[in-house]
Amino acid sequence: MSYKNKYPFVFLGGMLSWGEENIMYKGWPYWGMVAGNLCRQLRETNIEAYGVQVGPANSAWDRACNLHAMLTGTTVDYGVAHSKAHKHDRYGRTYEKPLFEGWGEPMADGGIKKVHLLGHSFGGATMRMLAELLTNGSEEERKATKDGSLSPLFEGGHGDMIASITAISAPHDGTTFVHAFEPMMKVLTAGVLGMFAVLGNTPANKFYDNYMEQYHLTVPAGQTNWKNILDPRQLLRIRNVIKTGDHVFHDLRIDEASKLNDLIHCSPDIYYFSVSGNGTKPAKDNPENQVRAPIMIFAFIPFAKVMGKFPAQKIGDYYVDASWHANDGLVPTESGRYPHKEPHVMYEDVKGQPLKKGVWHVLPDYIADHGTVIGGSISYIGPGRAEPYRKYWRDHLDMLMGLED
């Protein structure tokens, strides 16, 4: 079928994810996993698709700034106010050329070239932040930048550069995982940053890029800085990242996600879609609690069990009750459906009708754990067994391409 809308598709992973530019992707593609490289499969059918990486442990703000520079072929600008508040460099790495040509530029039909964004897990928050900044900019950055060097990302008025956003198993309202396992999260945060501070300065960064050079913790992939590994200031830098909260583990908290949702709003120029994973089922002894369903792999089972009976309590602006028990092993299904401070409709209720911009279209839950929805399920191993997964995403992209026809 021929569509008017043939904008590129950009796929972005979440916490600790990797992209096609990493060597790691060749052996273990983030998008597709055991089902095969989804972006490559799409390109083989003449669909322009990219699987990209931005800071795997960075905050939603830093990741959005990184993604903007990647798409425009410019230097990452984290903003005067933000970089000062979080005590890191204003500028990051430079992209010598854009991910694809012509983003935001006029096309022959009089419109501009847009992009479809698909984000898994924390990739959803990243894309929502990018859309917010493109649409409304940042008043704080506009006030703080007095020398005329304001990044176009903070100007506002560019929301029409994004055609659609699809959030996949995204913790829109945060996740009970980080609260249920709080002591472990503290160790994990320090451990990940410590590992990055070592490996991110060695040739290992070609295998997996760490993207924390704004803190001087690492260097870009392909560069090395052996002296940095033994520099005692590395411990102070790690402490600074944790203290300022400019990292993914902080943004995943329900109370912090609530603050992000006060900042991020739907753009009237963009179509929004969201699909949440559910890898649990009601417990026999207490149907209000949830336990793993057969689809869930062993790695997520301990987390799903604890999240499935998380005690009712108020966290930030949200009252977390039994409706948050169903989960995919990392994200509550309820949190993954849509940001609860934003307008939404159930996709099945409006399917076949003209869809509206600026409103979340909530797709039916995907019966999956956190990895199944991106191809990471043993149920996809074997001849033809991954075809339903591939068809699901081909059908979704087909729908996105027909939005403007």
Side-chain angles (χ1 to χ4, degrees):
M1 188 176 293
S2 178
Y3 293 112
K4 171 185 175 183
N5 162 2
K6 286 193 175 181
Y7 308 132
F9 291 90
V10 173
F11 293 77
L12 177 68
M15 176 182 71
L16 306 183
S17 61
W18 56 98
E20 289 185 286
E21 63 270 36
N22 295 168
I23 294 176
M24 182 175 178
Y25 205 99
K26 292 178 173 60
W28 187 244
Y30 186 90
W31 291 95
M33 296 198 169
V34 300
N37 188 330
L38 178 62
C39 294
R40 185 176 62 202
Q41 292 164 3
L42 292 171
R43 290 193 291 267
E44 289 171 352
T45 60
N46 295 318
I47 293 175
E48 191 176 358
Y50 306 88
V52 302
Q53 182 201 30
V54 293
N58 288 351
S59 64
W61 179 284
D62 282 15
R63 284 164 59 93
C65 295
N66 193 162
L67 183 57
H68 179 259
M70 180 186 295
L71 289 168
T72 54
T74 55
T75 298
V76 182
D77 186 345
Y78 298 109
V80 173
H82 177 86
S83 57
K84 182 178 180 180
H86 295 92
K87 299 178 182 178
H88 66 61
D89 290 350
R90 174 183 173 181
Y91 296 107
R93 65 182 60 182
T94 296
Y95 293 89
E96 299 298 335
K97 61 180 182 178
L99 184 65
F100 57 86
E101 296 296 332
W103 186 42
E105 296 178 3
M107 299 189 302
D109 64 2
I112 65 169
K113 187 171 184 177
K114 305 181 184 183
V115 64
H116 293 289
L117 301 176
L118 297 94
H120 174 243
S121 194
F122 198 61
T126 305
M127 292 178 171
R128 289 174 55 218
M129 178 66 80
L130 176 65
E132 169 63 29
L133 292 174
L134 284 172
T135 302
N136 298 311
S138 169
E139 183 63 26
E140 188 176 22
E141 293 300 337
R142 289 193 288 265
K143 289 179 179 178
T145 311
K146 306 294 186 181
D147 60 357
S149 63
L150 183 73
S151 167
L153 179 59
F154 306 131
E155 292 174 350
H158 302 297
D160 59 352
M161 294 173 69
I162 299 175
S164 74
I165 286 177
T166 300
I168 305 157
S169 296
H172 295 299
D173 296 327
T175 173
T176 51
F177 172 85
V178 298
H179 299 274
F181 297 93
E182 196 140 13
M184 184 186 78
M185 292 304 301
K186 291 180 179 178
V187 175
L188 179 64
T189 303
V192 166
L193 295 176
M195 179 180 67
F196 282 9
V198 175
L199 298 180
N201 292 291
T202 74
N205 59 27
K206 289 184 179 180
F207 182 78
Y208 183 82
D209 202 350
N210 306 123
Y211 284 89
M212 298 204 80
E213 54 265 27
Q214 70 270 35
Y215 281 102
H216 298 270
L217 265 179
T218 67
V219 292
Q223 299 180 25
T224 58
N225 187 345
W226 297 101
K227 292 181 179 179
N228 212 23
I229 296 173
L230 300 177
D231 190 335
R233 290 175 295 180
Q234 289 288 71
L235 293 176
L236 296 177
R237 292 162 184 160
I238 292 171
R239 180 176 179 272
N240 179 47
V241 177
I242 296 173
K243 186 176 180 180
T244 64
D246 199 28
H247 57 85
V248 61
F249 308 107
H250 176 267
D251 284 356
L252 287 171
R253 294 181 57 87
I254 294 171
D255 45 351
E256 296 304 327
S258 176
K259 294 175 185 176
L260 279 177
N261 289 340
D262 288 335
L263 168 68
I264 302 173
H265 303 289
C266 289
S267 168
D269 298 310
I270 301 171
Y271 292 99
Y272 290 85
F273 301 90
S274 194
V275 57
S276 189
N278 187 354
T280 57
K281 62 181 181 179
K284 291 181 179 179
D285 59 343
N286 183 353
E288 281 200 349
N289 294 340
Q290 297 280 318
V291 295
R292 56 93 51 135
I295 191 65
M296 183 168 287
I297 64 171
F298 68 91
F300 294 117
I301 294 174
F303 309 135
K305 183 177 180 180
V306 175
M307 293 170 65
K309 56 183 180 181
F310 189 81
Q313 57 189 280
K314 190 174 187 295
I315 305 177
D317 292 341
Y318 299 111
Y319 184 74
V320 179
D321 57 18
S323 67
W324 286 60
H325 285 172
N327 66 85
D328 67 3
L330 286 182
V331 176
T333 305
E334 185 68 15
S335 178
R337 287 179 177 141
Y338 60 95
H340 282 62
K341 295 181 180 182
E342 294 299 296
H344 76 282
V345 295
M346 307 310 291
Y347 179 73
E348 291 298 303
D349 293 340
V350 298
K351 188 177 179 180
Q353 304 174 29
L355 303 183
K356 296 181 179 179
K357 297 179 180 181
V359 175
W360 282 96
H361 297 83
V362 185
L363 299 166
D365 294 343
Y366 199 110
I367 304 306
D369 62 30
H370 201 65
T372 303
V373 72
I374 55 171
S377 172
I378 59 174
S379 65
Y380 297 149
I381 299 175
R385 297 186 67 182
E387 188 53 35
Y389 161 80
R390 298 189 189 108
K391 184 178 185 303
Y392 179 90
W393 288 114
R394 282 198 302 265
D395 288 349
H396 182 68
L397 268 58
D398 198 56
M399 182 270 291
L400 295 179
M401 287 189 287
L403 286 173
E404 296 185 356
D405 284 353

